[in-house]
Amino acid sequence: MQWNSASEFFAMGGYGLYVWGSYGMALLIMVVEPLMAARRHRAALAAAAQDEGL
């Protein structure tokens, strides 16, 4: 596929919203998932430490 301008590239032949939206969602998930995993890990460690103290 060949584009004559940057706007044609970003429009992706009329599918730009779908293509770039998909890339955006994938990027968002790749950023949020490690943060949520770290949060769950800290919570699990805190729960384990609390259980040890009983």
Side-chain angles (χ1 to χ4, degrees):
M1 199 171 232
Q2 186 176 12
W3 295 282
N4 295 322
S5 68
S7 63
E8 284 184 23
F9 172 75
F10 288 112
M12 292 281 174
Y15 296 102
L17 182 62
Y18 173 75
V19 171
W20 296 114
S22 298
Y23 275 113
M25 288 303 294
L27 178 64
L28 178 68
I29 290 168
M30 289 175 22
V31 168
V32 170
E33 181 59 27
L35 297 174
M36 295 300 293
R39 183 177 174 191
R40 289 189 303 265
H41 184 252
R42 283 192 304 271
L45 288 176
Q50 186 178 22
D51 287 344
E52 265 185 23
L54 293 177

